[in-house]
Amino acid sequence: VRPCSPPRFRRGSASHRACLIARFNFIYAKERLEAEAALKRYFCDSETVQKIIYIAAVESFRAAKTAFWKVKINVKDTLAVCHRGGPSSLEVAVLDYIACHKDLYDVCSSVHEVVCAMNKNPKLPCPGQVDIVVISALIRELCCLAFSMQTLIPPLDIAFGIDGECFNKNMYYRSFDSDFTAPFVAYHVWPALIEDGTVIVKGEVVTKK
């Protein structure tokens, strides 16, 4: 960790939050589709491809949050030596410091962790049929985004869906190939983005009877 006196980043946190939400939407609209195209060279059906990408998103957020927790402990221990103020101001200083020094995050390690976890995931359709490294660009972007989202107060996160859950119109959109009369989620296409329990950006699911 670099010397003390982290920059005053918190004053721009609202615009930073907006940029992160916009990035989440951009990944969904563009880079997710690019990853789908890469996977469709190995799988014929869209359902398998969409399930793989959804799990990639979930695993990426999990890996990034774990990495953030480790970085935060290290930075907090270092800044505490010269910090003047209470615990709450130290917490803000730590978050600002991490937000301004993104190179503290070893994203390559998280990408490797996600790829290894997915290649061994028994829940994935046809595990081992394709090396998940083909969508490593998407995983990298999601990891970086998820890590940055942890520097916000409160942090942004994704909702973890369960196949078979009741469809929640406040949390998800139905995919175009859904059965619009079905009350249950067959599988998830993209996670919802949440902030302190409130849905900020709806996710996407497929509903079937």
Side-chain angles (χ1 to χ4, degrees), residues 14-15 22 49 57 62 73 75-77 85 103-105 117 123 128 132-134 143 180 185 189 196-198 203 209:
S15 60
V49 169
R62 181 196 58 78
I73 290 176
V75 172
K76 194 169 190 176
D77 288 344
D103 58 319
L104 292 172
Y105 177 35
K123 294 182 179 180
I132 301 301
V133 74
V134 299
C143 285
F180 282 74
V185 174
V189 175
D196 203 20
T198 301
K209 290 183 179 178

Side-chain angles (χ1 to χ4, degrees), residues 121-159:
N121 191 333
K123 294 182 179 180
L124 275 176
C126 309
Q129 187 171 327
V130 59
D131 191 342
I132 301 301
V133 74
V134 299
I135 58 169
S136 58
L138 173 68
I139 293 171
R140 182 184 182 87
E141 287 300 316
L142 285 168
C143 285
C144 289
L145 178 66
F147 187 89
S148 293
M149 285 180 169
Q150 305 314 301
T151 64
L152 298 174
I153 302 176
L156 293 172
D157 200 356
I158 56 171

Side-chain angles (χ1 to χ4, degrees), residues 7-16 91-100 150-154:
R8 295 184 176 274
F9 176 83
R10 194 55 49 188
R11 72 178 67 178
S13 61
S15 60
H16 182 55
E91 183 75 12
V92 172
V94 168
L95 295 179
D96 287 349
Y97 192 97
I98 297 173
C100 292
Q150 305 314 301
T151 64
L152 298 174
I153 302 176

Side-chain angles (χ1 to χ4, degrees), residues 43-170:
F43 300 101
C44 296
D45 63 303
S46 295
E47 179 176 336
T48 299
V49 169
Q50 290 173 337
K51 285 181 177 179
I52 290 174
I53 289 177
Y54 177 77
I55 293 175
V58 171
E59 287 289 341
S60 295
F61 267 77
R62 181 196 58 78
K65 288 191 294 182
T66 299
F68 180 84
W69 176 74
K70 294 177 181 178
V71 170
K72 183 179 177 182
I73 290 176
N74 185 32
V75 172
K76 194 169 190 176
D77 288 344
T78 303
L79 293 185
V81 175
C82 57
H83 181 75
R84 297 178 180 178
S88 59
S89 63
L90 174 60
E91 183 75 12
V92 172
V94 168
L95 295 179
D96 287 349
Y97 192 97
I98 297 173
C100 292
H101 298 93
K102 296 177 182 178
D103 58 319
L104 292 172
Y105 177 35
D106 182 6
V107 64
C108 292
S109 179
S110 287
V111 171
H112 177 72
E113 180 183 339
V114 172
V115 170
C116 289
M118 292 187 67
N119 280 329
K120 298 175 183 177
N121 191 333
K123 294 182 179 180
L124 275 176
C126 309
Q129 187 171 327
V130 59
D131 191 342
I132 301 301
V133 74
V134 299
I135 58 169
S136 58
L138 173 68
I139 293 171
R140 182 184 182 87
E141 287 300 316
L142 285 168
C143 285
C144 289
L145 178 66
F147 187 89
S148 293
M149 285 180 169
Q150 305 314 301
T151 64
L152 298 174
I153 302 176
L156 293 172
D157 200 356
I158 56 171
F160 298 98
I162 302 173
D163 291 349
E165 66 180 315
C166 289
F167 173 71
N168 183 347
K169 66 179 181 179
N170 296 318

